Amino acid sequence: MAALGFVFITLPCLAIVSFTCFAACRAQKHKTFKMLAYACLAFGLACALVPVGVVAWVASL
């Protein structure tokens, strides 16, 4: 049950935080923040798509 909670509760919350970090870093002028923004975006997309992949995998069984 803890694994399901991690996948379906914690990862989407991390995705929201990561997308917020992406928006905040993207708004900065310095080039380092823009590179950090895309790292946050990649992490957020991974966190958001893992629950979708788990549901698709279970549905295919």
Side-chain angles (χ1 to χ4, degrees):
M1 289 311 255
L4 289 176
F6 179 76
V7 170
F8 292 108
I9 296 172
T10 305
L11 285 180
C13 290
L14 284 174
I16 292 168
V17 169
S18 183
F19 291 144
T20 305
C21 178
F22 165 72
C25 288
R26 184 80 176 119
Q28 302 298 317
K29 301 274 187 214
H30 200 272
K31 188 174 181 173
T32 305
F33 284 109
K34 295 203 185 266
M35 292 184 335
L36 180 62
Y38 289 111
C40 289
L41 179 64
F43 181 71
L45 284 174
C47 288
L49 291 176
V50 165
V52 174
V54 169
V55 170
W57 175 68
V58 170
S60 70
L61 295 178

